[in-house]
Amino acid sequence: MTRLKMAAHLSYGRVVLNNLREAARKELREFLDKCEGSKAIVWDEYLTGPFGLIAQYSLLKEHEVDKMFTLKEGHIPPAEVKNIIFFVRPRLELMDIIADNIRCEHKHHGPPRDFHILFLPRRSLLCEQRLKEQGLLVHFTHIEEYSLDLIPFDSDLMSMEAESAFRECYLENDQTILFSVAKGLMTLQALYGTIPQIFGKGECARLVANMMLRMKREFAGTQNQILPVFDKLLLLDRNVDLLTPLATQLTYEGLIDEIYEIQNTHVKLPPEKFAPKKQNESGRDLSNEPKKLQLNSAEELYAEIRDKNFNAVGSVLSKKAKFISAAFEERHNAKTVGEIKQFVSQLPHMQAARTSLANHTSIAELIKDITASETFFDKLTVEQEFMSGIDTDKVNSYIEDSIAQKEPLINILRLVCMQSVCNNGLKQKVLDYYKREILQTYGYEHILTLNNLEKAGLLKPQTSTRNNYPTIRKTLRLWMDDINEQNPNDISYVYSGYAPLSVRLTQLLARPGWRSIEEVLKMLPGPHFEERQQLPSGLHKKRQQGENRVTLVFFLGGVTYAEIAALRFLSQMEEGGTEYIIATTKLINGKSWIKSMMDKLEPSLF
Amino acid sequence: MAFVTASWNPFGDVFYRKFNLYSDWKMKEDLSNCLIAAAPYAGPIALMINGSHKERSPSLRPIMEIYSSSGNRIVSLPWKSGQVVHIGWTTNEDLLCIQDDGTVLIHDIFGTFKRHFSMGNEVLQNRVVDAKVFPTAYGSGVVILTGAFRFTLATNIDDLKLRRFPEVPGLLRPPTCWAVLMQDRQPKIVLATGKDVYVLDNASCTSVIPPGLGPQVCGFTQIAVSFNYKKLALFTDAGNIWMGSSSFKDKLCVVETNFKTAPKQFVWCDRPKSDNPTVVGIWDKLLVITGKTKETIKFYQDEDVHLVPEIDGVRIISSSNHEFLHEVPPACQDIFKIASMAPGALLLEAHKEYEKESQKADEYLREIKEQNLLFEAVQQCIEAAGNEYEPEMQKSLLRAASFGKCFISNFPPDTFVKMARDLRVLNAMRDYIVGIPLTYPQYKQLTIEILIDRLILRRLYPLAIRICKYMKISELQGASRILAHWACYKVQQKDEPDDSIARAINHKLGDTPGISYSEIAAKAYECGRIELAIKLLEYEPRSGEQVPLLLKMKRSQLALLKAIESGDSDLVYTVVTYLKNEMNRGDFFMTLQNQPVALSLYRQFCKHQEPETLKDLFNQDDNHQELGNFYVRSSYSNETTIEGRVAALQSAVDEYNKAKNEFAAKITEEQIKLLRYQFRLQKESGKTYLDLSLHDTVQALLLDSKHKQAEQLYKDFKIPDKRFWWLKISALAEKQDWEELEKFSKSKKSPIGYMPFVEICVKHRNKYEAKKYVAKVSPEQKVKGYIMVGDLEQAVETATERKNENELNIILSKCTAATDQSIVEKINRAKAQILKK
């Protein structure tokens, strides 16, 4: 019952992403059943978060998983189980830990056990070779892969939760993740039919499309006979739109993420504003433990407000509050037994709604404290100036002052990068000034981080004299002066004025098509392209009158919640005609994104 | 019907018939002089002529010949290997020649040598005295009997595991007769020595007594096991035949013959579900069929014959005839039996009359319909058609069935259609060129899939494809597979150039689903045609298949290219690791240099696993920027002394200079300078300064009131004025050194204005001090300043002066109705005034 509820929200959307989840669960069960008898799982810690969205402990328990441990060197804690299964990403350093575990087991002549490895999402010869070199490969009964590439996060959202995808692709020229993207898309197509049209912009997009077409040839013969659910696939490189993630998201969900960081749909919040769960428990001091909440569309209220501009959230919450208290007042009107019964039957739902309202009112208060502050306002003003093209070519005094006051480095980097992007690079003098300021203030070790940002194109000297950002901004209408935060009529509401470039490209693809913006597309990095995939005859969709098209937008290198909100806004536009499903390598925000590109150097002590 | 039944021989309630499979069969050889083996399911026949001669004179070198079942000589070769003891066919129609040294040679149906294996070393001394090839659940098995009278057995020659069976107690001579049995997937050997019968298996030797045999038996001289291993027959030296189950639990019957000598060959003639299984023996040229009925059937043959048991009868091979002997199937008996009134017989008759346009047709039909047996009649005719060998007879039966069908509404068509299709296939198989004279039951047992395999084996690719299409077998199972085999055969044609073969193959195969070009390429490689293999691999869409083969062929560069194309990093790593072990370092680096994707991946690998190699890689391609970064990194992670760190950083400076990255070079020099300075400071003061940033160092100095040193750094490192002012005021405020702060504010005109002074004081909760600076704040920020220090009066005054409604509103928002009543009034008045103008 609870399990059904856990994933119910995945079934509401236009595309039933729960099928993807079920397929993943099935694969998992099949693997677990291969290892007969009781088992313990040793986890690569990074995997537990995303994995929780596929299967909870209950499922594992049903398949005789008695114990779970975190992968670390030394002994595996004692457990009376027949099987030890390592759930790991294919990384050499993890192989060394596993090797260490196995050696410890042997040294101490533990009870005879079967060892297995489950690689997520792909097994790797390199890793197996590593174990082989140490003579340990023979100890494993099953070495398999669990191709969990795309994990459903919500009814319209999938993520691979590959932390360093952007860094690997754009800094290190390691396109391993793109192979997984292509594989994931093949899995998706196996479940939801061949996607007839593929569009893309960017080098990585091109590579992924090539791989998909290639893989399709590999699978030739096993023709997919499923009626296509998706009409289009749009592959977008994150480096086509470096600007958007740098901007502070102003939607409710976006702000929660900016401030508290949403991890695998969960968020940890400071507990002060939340009432203790039960009055009688208030004696125990729980107030130091952060409040943990799951945020997804399963919660009705959250689904309603998550994508709104934060300035529009308050009114909804107060409306809801009135509505709920009115509903509770209804009990006074309930006279007959029937009426009372009716009221009581609605109680659980109403109580849930009340809890939900209380939670979100608290969260909104927490956020309001921050957004109402002068520092937040000042920073936002600078961001908006940059994005609308004001004074992007000289040293910004706010940034200067912030450095002087040693604001957190990530905030500084975010702003400097934004200025560079909005000016299509900074004058060498300006750039060197910022860099020097940063290195002198935060430490010379950040030279590598700055180098990384330069490699990624986030920070660069102006090469051509011409700054093409204004052209891009104007053609794509990236800056909208009149915005309506309460009842938006354009995607720019998500950043209170700035319309995310990535989403604008998506919008223009649907109507009137990219041909109208060829010039701008050429200014953005990487090729743009269109591919068609032949459908078996008889699978061509006959569209019902008024039926929307479904487009899968895949962000290679990460997507922000505000961009998701903008796409959802487009899905809901009446005249839009297109519904969007979103997939990405990782859900990001400016902070986590910049962080992924930083090189942390710590001096050895002496 | 006399014509049909002329060849029928009654045997109890049933009939046996024997007919020629091919009318113009001719085998030149005298069968008495050779080893002979015929594969079941109408398979090929192999002869080893002169094979039994022990003495080997060159003139008498044995000859191996293989014939199709239609008597077509496929191949004839002189035997150049050792003394052959036994020959037999595997279930895949490979010929096994078992030599007395225990070597088993495998040839295909065309006599091409495939491979050989040995049945163990202990045979070398004792030699093989006898051997048998037998079908198992896993494929084909071989068992040998050594000169030491021990059996060694393998149940699957493709996965050779030799099992030595236990010794039979007291066995000093070869057993008089023996046979292999499969029971519960386990092989067993039944053997007789004198009057003792033993069953041998992996672990034990059990003596058994066939139930129901009288005491007069002195010995068993022949043994026969039925096609399905379920039944067993023994011939005794008293001329009795014991027939029973192979488990020796049940007796079927004991038949007395008058032969005192053992038959030359002794086999079962059986069919599935038969009530009347029989055994056939040959004494010289006399063929005798015996069974539980007292009767026997005897045929006198003109020449030496060889019996080949089949699932539904026995093939009889001689130099001039190839016949099939079987119990007439029930449907045929029903229809053709003299004076039969079976519905099928009547229907056949009715149809004959109908063809003659005689009204008798109606009478016959009526007779069937009156008994309500028309359905059965049609079924019977269809079934009988399947069991008749002559196409004419099949046709007349099918026509009769089709005629009968007309009078039944809704007769399900599939049995008829299916039979017609099957018969077309069977008749095509029986064609002289193909030479697979399968009977219908054999065909059903064999299955169409295996039949197609057999066609592929005979290289009859077009026919196989036509049959697949005709029988609507899926592309994957049918056409594609056949084409792949064709291609594998094609690559072995040595006289054709690589190019044309590759093109021909791709032309025929295209992107046909399920085709594995890598398999074909592997075959080409096996035949030593590397270039062809590479060309073929070009067509392979699965890199996972391409790459390992290319590596095997030592085409590592190409493998690398393909791995990169696939996008599968793991594959790239595999090739890179291979290259690394295969090449010298220089060549390896050069190879990577030309493959940026591989290079990046290898760099990733080195970054975590072999940092030193990473340095070499950067050196190799003069990547000074990265080398610089490398040294910076190593100054942190590897060096533990100040000298070491400085040296590493100095290397970084050099590299950055080479990379023409002036900024990085300069800033790193600056870093060295700071490090040295910090080190000195640390030594002097005993406080930790190392690894603080320049900013933090200055701050630490200021907090320690080392203003002079701070000033020094400010100048040496050209810290911008603004930042230095910020630094200084926050440090002073933190120390609560308000006096110094005030002094500093007056030292010269503040480059950051005076608002920061206000803010920093407020931040440290000193509004009193803050107030001192508000007056100096620029007009735009003055109101903000006054609000900050809580002086709303002044704020209103300033705002009113500035006639700034916006500012007034901000002040208004800070007012509380209770305490600031007068101020609110003032604001309202001021606002009104502004409005007026």
Side-chain angles (χ1 to χ4, degrees), chain A residues 130 176 374 406 441 444 604, chain B residues 569 636 670 693 696 784:
Chain A
R130 184 61 153 238
T176 309
E374 205 168 323
K406 218 180 170 198
T441 308
Y444 294 106
S604 354
Chain B
S569 302
Y636 281 91
E670 211 182 276
S693 71
D696 293 345
K784 193 176 152 196

Side-chain angles (χ1 to χ4, degrees), chain B residues 60-75:
Chain B
L60 269 177
R61 176 170 275 176
I63 293 171
M64 180 176 81
E65 291 194 334
I66 298 174
Y67 291 82
S68 76
S69 274
S70 55
N72 221 347
R73 191 163 75 184
I74 300 170
V75 68

